[in-house]
């Protein structure tokens, strides 16, 4: 019987097809005789098959015929192979010693044939998991989708109820959705998360002509708003500069200014209410060995009265666009606020004023401060104007605006620092300094008031004007380096800051 062609294809040694050894000739004759005997001994060829050729070998093996032997095919083939090997070895032993020749290749080929019969070349069965081509796993719950409806997106499949928005957690049923990384969102949820809203009108900030989202943002409060609100008469707090939101109402002062609710909580409205704060700041100066020898009048006034006083004042440099305080050196008649206004809806009404003639008894006639400002801002203005008065009373003459306004802003900043920062101590150059400004406190300050104080300090530090802004930064650097006393002495001698 010819060996199966599949077994021959797995043999790795090709030399069995390159030459015909005596063993192979003998083996061929053996198989021919075996095939003829199984054909019934007759000469008829009607029951034979056409010969099969292997590669380019001239040897012919007849096609196998069905055996009538009851033994199994493997047993018969093994027995025939053993007989062929035994006959080959016996014939080889009969040859003389000098003429004996043995082909390792023939023996290897025989053993390879035997191994191929006993050990099939097919790989063992691996019971690995088999998934049909239509098998789908849900990317949400990791379960089999089966034969129900499913969604195919983002390179995977989902049950309709498992494809959910990362933000709200509800299923996404729309045909369009937003994707951030690998997280899906409803378009509305994604816009809610990423598209900025105006904090004035509470609408999504529109895009400009170039398709970009353009908005304004306050440098301290980080209040975002549409650019149009800068020109649509939206109210702005005269103290903290925040725009009025559509869901809140600002208070309107009688001189046309607006005041937000937070600033209104600590606003000082008349001259009598401001006197304790004014005396506390004078004590603050005295604690730094900068006592003011003269009793300088202090008045709270309206915007119009302050502007009229500025016009009548010959000396001084005034912060535009709006001045909040003034140190007078000329005799004038000023209308001050005698009684605070009352609240009528969102307006402050019923304010009582009285004209007051100011006479000059020294270099400083009076200090005027705009009414309706929070306590910390009012105190910062008073500290600034009192420094103007101290310089004039101590003989500091003809200072340029950067020097005079700069050092006055430093005193204003120092007082705010002592009020806002609880562990603050005065400048290291003033050994006898004390924080006597604590007498000005109306109980403990709220977090809202502390935040306002930080904003007023931010305003001073980041002022863009040459006199108030740049002057403060140069003066503050000099005070930090040399101390307040040495800086003031250098100003008195040279009219400039020490370098």
């Amino acid at each position: 019987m010819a060996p199966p062609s599949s077994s021959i294809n797995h043999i790795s040694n090709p030399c069995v097809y390159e030459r015909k050894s005596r063993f192979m000739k003998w083996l061929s004759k053996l198989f021919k005789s075996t095939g003829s005997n199984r054909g019934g001994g007759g000469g008829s060829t009607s029951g034979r098959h056409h010969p099969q050729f292997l590669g380019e070998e001239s040897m012919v093996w007849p096609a196998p015929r069905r055996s009538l032997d009851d033994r199994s095919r493997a047993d018969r083939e093994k027995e025939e192979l053993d007989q062929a090997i035994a006959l080959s070895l016996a014939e080889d032993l009969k040859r003389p010693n000098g003429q004996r020749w043995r082909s390792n290749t023939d023996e290897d080929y025989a053993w390879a044939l035997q191994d191929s019969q006993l050990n099939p070349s097919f790989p063992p069965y691996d019971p690995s998991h088999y998934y049909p081509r239509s098998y789908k796993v849900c990317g949400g719950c990791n379960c089999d989708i089966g034969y129900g409806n499913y969604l195919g997106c983002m390179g995977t499949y989902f049950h309709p109820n498992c494809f959910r928005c990362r933000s709200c957690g509800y299923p996404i049923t729309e045909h369009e959705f937003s994707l951030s990384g690998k997280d899906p969102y409803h378009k509305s949820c994604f816009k809610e998360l990423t598209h900025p809203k105006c904090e004035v009108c509470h609408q999504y900030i529109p895009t400009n002509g170039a398709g970009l989202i353009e908005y304004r943002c306050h440098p301290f409060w980080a209040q975002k708003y549409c650019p149009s609100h800068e020109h649509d008469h939206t109210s702005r707090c005269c103290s903290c500069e925040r725009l009025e939101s559509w869901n809140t109402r600002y208070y309107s002062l009688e001189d046309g200014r607006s005041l937000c609710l937070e600033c209104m909580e600590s606003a000082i409205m008349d001259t009598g209410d401001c006197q304790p704060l004014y005396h506390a700041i004078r004590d603050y100066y005295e604690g730094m060995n900068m006592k003011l020898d003269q009793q300088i009048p202090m008045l709270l006034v309206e915007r119009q009265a302050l502007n009229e006083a500025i016009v009548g004042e010959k000396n001084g440099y005034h912060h535009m666009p709006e001045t909040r305080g003034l140190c007078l050196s000329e005799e004038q008649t000023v209308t001050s606020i005698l009684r605070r206004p009352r609240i009528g809806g969102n307006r402050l009404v019923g304010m009582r004023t009285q004209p007051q003639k100011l006479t000059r008894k020294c270099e400083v006639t009076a200090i005027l401060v705009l009414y309706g400002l929070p306590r910390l801002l009012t105190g910062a203005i008073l500290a600034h104007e009192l420094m103007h008065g101290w310089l004039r009373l101590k003989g500091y003459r003809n200072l340029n605006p950067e020097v005079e306004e700069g050092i006055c802003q430093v005193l204003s900043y120092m007082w705010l620092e002592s009020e806002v920062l609880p562990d603050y101590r005065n400048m290291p150059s003033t050994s006898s300094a004390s924080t006597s400004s604590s007498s000005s406190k109306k109980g403990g300050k709220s977090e809202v008031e502390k935040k306002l104080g930080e904003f007023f300090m931010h305003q001073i530090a980041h002022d863009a004007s040459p006199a108030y802004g740049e002057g403060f930064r140069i003066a503050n650097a000099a005070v930090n380096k040399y101390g307040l006393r040495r800086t003031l002495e250098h100003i008195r001698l040279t009219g400039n800051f020490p370098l």
Side-chain angles (χ1 to χ4, degrees):
M1 175 186 290
S5 61
S6 61
S7 299
I8 294 177
N9 290 338
H10 284 275
I11 295 175
S12 60
N13 195 343
C15 65
V16 296
Y17 299 112
E18 294 179 359
R19 62 184 178 85
K20 189 180 297 182
S21 64
R22 295 180 62 259
F23 170 74
M24 292 300 298
K25 292 179 181 179
W26 175 88
L27 188 62
S28 176
K29 294 178 181 180
L30 175 65
F31 284 156
K32 284 181 181 180
S33 62
T34 304
S36 62
N37 293 333
R38 289 176 184 174
S44 175
T45 60
S46 60
R48 297 182 182 179
H49 298 277
H50 293 286
Q52 297 179 348
F53 295 92
L54 297 177
E56 297 180 356
E57 177 60 47
S58 60
M59 179 177 59
V60 179
W61 289 359
R65 297 189 61 181
R66 184 174 183 85
S67 174
L68 298 178
D69 196 344
D70 293 334
R71 291 177 298 170
S72 66
R73 177 179 177 180
D75 292 339
R76 292 196 307 273
E77 292 178 348
K78 180 177 183 301
E79 181 180 349
E80 292 175 357
L81 186 61
D82 290 341
Q83 292 177 358
I85 295 173
L87 291 174
S88 176
L89 294 176
E91 184 177 348
D92 190 42
L93 290 174
K94 294 178 182 180
R95 300 175 63 86
N97 292 336
Q99 300 179 2
R100 183 176 299 177
W101 171 80
R102 183 177 181 181
S103 174
N104 291 331
T105 303
D106 294 341
E107 185 176 355
D108 292 342
Y109 174 58
W111 286 113
L113 286 175
Q114 185 178 12
D115 290 340
S116 65
Q117 299 288 339
L118 298 177
N119 299 318
S121 60
F122 301 102
Y125 172 69
D126 181 15
S128 59
H129 296 288
Y130 171 73
Y131 298 104
R133 183 173 299 178
S134 60
Y135 186 84
K136 297 178 178 64
V137 177
C138 176
C141 64
N142 295 322
C143 295
D144 181 15
I145 291 179
Y147 296 97
N149 295 330
Y150 64 90
L151 302 174
C153 57
M154 301 191 301
T156 185
Y157 304 96
F158 295 89
H159 291 111
N161 198 47
C162 293
F163 189 58
R164 294 175 175 265
C165 175
R166 177 71 173 177
S167 177
C168 67
Y170 287 98
I172 300 176
T173 59
E174 296 83 2
H175 292 292
E176 295 183 357
F177 61 96
S178 298
L179 192 64
S180 178
K182 295 184 178 180
D183 298 325
Y185 294 85
H186 291 110
K187 294 187 70 175
S188 57
C189 293
F190 190 74
K191 187 174 183 179
E192 186 76 23
L193 289 173
T194 59
H195 195 118
K197 274 189 175 182
C198 174
E199 298 181 29
V200 175
C201 64
H202 304 287
Q203 303 297 318
Y204 289 113
I205 297 177
T207 56
N208 56 18
L212 302 176
I213 300 174
E214 180 182 0
Y215 58 87
R216 302 289 183 266
C217 185
H218 194 280
F220 181 82
W221 302 108
Q223 182 188 35
K224 298 177 182 178
Y225 54 91
C226 303
S228 59
H229 296 313
E230 293 185 337
H231 314 290
D232 61 2
H233 306 291
T234 299
S235 299
R236 186 186 294 271
C237 179
C238 64
S239 170
C240 67
E241 299 181 349
R242 285 177 286 190
L243 291 177
E244 181 183 31
S245 174
W246 285 11
N247 58 7
T248 59
R249 300 299 297 173
Y250 283 5
Y251 289 100
S252 297
L253 304 179
E254 291 190 10
D255 57 8
R257 292 176 293 140
S258 297
L259 201 64
C260 72
L261 303 181
E262 293 181 354
C263 293
M264 182 66 184
E265 289 181 0
S266 61
I268 298 179
M269 292 296 181
D270 60 38
T271 301
D273 287 344
C274 193
Q275 291 302 320
L277 178 61
Y278 176 56
H279 290 294
I281 296 175
R282 288 177 61 101
D283 293 341
Y284 176 79
Y285 271 78
E286 186 175 352
M288 293 190 297
N289 295 327
M290 296 174 64
K291 183 179 180 179
L292 288 95
D293 299 325
Q294 301 293 328
Q295 291 296 324
I296 304 173
M298 187 277 303
L299 303 175
L300 252 63
V301 297
E302 294 181 273
R303 176 193 283 176
Q304 182 179 356
L306 187 62
N307 291 337
E308 292 174 353
I310 291 174
V311 174
E313 184 70 14
K314 296 179 181 179
N315 301 321
Y317 183 86
H318 310 295
H319 198 186
M320 300 303 289
E322 182 175 63
T323 299
R324 296 170 172 173
L326 181 64
C327 183
L328 284 177
S329 58
E330 303 292 333
E331 292 187 355
Q332 293 190 37
T333 299
V334 178
T335 300
S336 64
I337 300 174
L338 184 63
R339 189 180 65 187
R340 64 182 296 130
R342 67 179 184 275
I343 299 175
N346 289 316
R347 297 185 62 85
L348 298 178
V349 297
M351 182 174 61
R352 182 179 175 182
T353 62
Q354 109 178 353
Q356 186 170 346
K357 184 175 177 60
L358 301 174
T359 59
R360 182 173 180 176
K361 297 180 181 179
C362 60
E363 293 294 327
V364 181
T365 304
I367 291 177
L368 308 181
V369 179
L370 194 63
Y371 91 101
L373 299 177
R375 174 184 168 274
L376 289 178
L377 180 55
T378 303
I381 296 171
L382 283 172
H384 178 99
E385 300 302 333
L386 275 175
M387 189 60 189
H388 278 298
W390 187 88
L391 292 172
R392 295 178 189 178
L393 292 174
K394 297 299 181 180
Y396 288 73
R397 305 288 184 181
N398 302 321
L399 297 177
N400 63 59
E402 288 77 8
V403 175
E404 184 168 352
E405 299 298 341
I407 195 66
C408 290
Q409 286 289 78
V410 168
L411 267 295
S412 177
Y413 190 90
M414 289 170 57
W415 181 82
L416 281 171
E417 204 169 32
S418 70
E419 291 285 306
V420 173
L421 303 180
D423 297 330
Y424 172 79
R425 293 296 180 268
N426 290 304
M427 305 307 295
S429 61
T430 55
S431 57
S432 61
S434 66
T435 56
S436 59
S437 61
S438 59
S439 61
S440 67
K441 299 177 183 178
K442 298 180 179 179
K445 283 181 286 296
S446 65
E447 291 300 320
V448 172
E449 190 175 10
K450 289 180 180 179
K451 193 67 177 178
L452 283 173
E454 293 174 1
F455 167 66
F456 302 141
M457 294 170 62
H458 176 272
Q459 274 189 314
I460 295 174
H462 296 85
D463 196 309
S465 65
Y468 289 83
E470 191 61 29
F472 162 77
R473 288 183 280 275
I474 297 174
N476 193 51
V479 170
N480 288 335
K481 183 176 182 179
Y482 300 105
L484 181 59
R485 182 177 297 278
R486 290 181 59 186
T487 301
L488 290 173
E489 182 64 20
H490 191 277
I491 294 173
R492 187 182 68 82
L493 295 175
T494 65
N496 291 304
F497 296 116
L499 300 177

